[in-house]
Amino acid sequence: MISNNIYHSHPLSEIEKLVNRATVENTVFAKWTNIDVSLMANSESDISDAYENGLQCVSSIPVPSDIGLKLFPVTNHLASIQGKAGALIYLYFYPISLKSSGGAGKTAKEVNDAIKNSTLTGDGAYNQTVIKNSQMVSHQPNWFRPKFLVNNNIDYFNLDETSGDYPTGNESSIFKPEFAQGLNLPYEENGYDKALKVYSNIQSIDVFAGAYQKILVGNDYVFQPYIMCCEAKFIIID
């Protein structure tokens, strides 16, 4: 075995200074999802049932700032972050494939049969996975236009408005053909050795995100949402 010369040429106290962060720095991980766990019983079966039951499809897709797209925290990260200085190091968004629970005038069976039967047609299959409740690859249009807000400011992403170039001449903050074209999923922002954003005092963190797929059911189109997850890593001055 070849010895690492760094450890032979430096005493342990010097190595610690070279590779370790200051003792006042703390790594905090945070996670959000669009499944509201606050309404569940304190049991493993409730979250399993939520994934098994799926999400209801809709007839129209909300804008990125809609309260319905606000994700729910599933970690106690604010207890370690709030009121402190820190840096955002890492962001990761990903969707989870799951069956439909119907909606928009269609039954769950009608929507799920349309997804399943799409694999048998020459027009191509809808984006799903062969493994239940697993991470999906991207598709377009996917309506993934995330918002990451710290202290009520859009500090990362600003995708809830479109280009301002409207072929129809109708000015709007949302031009739907552009709005539908979201970032590809899964989506990652990684600062590696450099922070994505530095904050002097973190008071609140809010995340908005969603992913949809347009599905033809009979003669009508519906929009199927999928479970959306967001993960983040902060370095906090504790």
Side-chain angles (χ1 to χ4, degrees):
M1 182 178 69
I2 300 175
S3 298
N4 188 328
N5 289 330
I6 293 177
Y7 288 90
H8 287 276
S9 59
H10 295 81
L12 182 59
S13 59
E14 292 298 320
I15 294 173
E16 288 181 340
K17 293 178 183 178
L18 292 173
V19 301
N20 286 344
R21 297 197 308 267
T23 56
V24 295
E25 294 179 6
N26 184 33
T27 301
V28 178
F29 289 92
K31 183 169 183 175
W32 299 261
T33 176
N34 59 353
I35 297 293
D36 187 358
V37 298
S38 68
L39 302 177
M40 297 180 183
N42 188 19
S43 69
E44 292 81 1
S45 61
D46 270 27
I47 186 63
S48 299
D49 290 345
Y51 274 74
E52 182 63 28
N53 293 335
L55 297 176
Q56 280 207 326
C57 50
V58 297
S59 56
S60 62
I61 297 175
V63 299
S65 299
D66 190 279
I67 191 63
L69 289 181
K70 186 175 180 179
L71 304 186
F72 300 95
V74 292
T75 52
N76 192 24
H77 49 270
L78 270 184
S80 302
I81 291 177
Q82 196 168 38
K84 298 174 182 176
L88 174 64
I89 302 297
Y90 172 80
L91 265 176
Y92 185 60
F93 290 88
Y94 58 95
I96 298 294
S97 172
L98 77 171
K99 68 181 184 181
S100 175
S101 60
K106 304 297 180 181
T107 66
K109 185 178 188 306
E110 287 175 320
V111 180
N112 291 315
D113 282 350
I115 295 172
K116 180 180 66 176
N117 294 337
S118 69
T119 62
L120 307 176
T121 70
D123 296 330
Y126 291 115
N127 185 23
Q128 285 274 7
T129 65
V130 296
I131 302 175
K132 182 186 293 187
N133 300 341
S134 61
Q135 186 169 318
M136 297 170 60
V137 297
S138 197
H139 61 272
Q140 289 291 351
N142 67 5
W143 290 272
F144 173 58
R145 311 277 288 205
K147 291 178 63 179
F148 193 86
L149 287 78
V150 176
N151 300 338
N152 296 316
N153 296 314
I154 302 177
D155 285 333
Y156 223 86
F157 308 110
N158 189 11
L159 300 173
D160 57 343
E161 292 188 3
T162 43
S163 69
D165 298 325
Y166 306 112
T168 61
N170 297 323
E171 291 199 14
S172 169
S173 63
I174 292 295
F175 183 54
K176 290 186 177 181
E178 293 177 355
F179 169 57
Q181 299 174 68
L183 300 175
N184 280 326
L185 286 161
Y187 186 86
E188 180 185 69
E189 286 284 346
N190 197 329
Y192 295 104
D193 296 326
K194 185 176 181 180
L196 300 175
K197 187 78 176 182
V198 177
Y199 308 96
S200 60
N201 188 319
I202 300 174
Q203 290 296 324
S204 64
I205 306 171
D206 296 300
V207 186
F208 293 74
Y212 293 81
Q213 185 168 204
K214 185 179 181 180
I215 298 172
L216 180 63
V217 184
N219 295 319
D220 303 312
Y221 281 102
V222 297
F223 301 94
Q224 178 62 53
Y226 294 101
I227 290 179
M228 175 58 65
C229 299
C230 174
E231 298 176 2
K233 181 172 77 171
F234 293 85
I235 302 298
I236 301 300
I237 306 300
D238 199 351

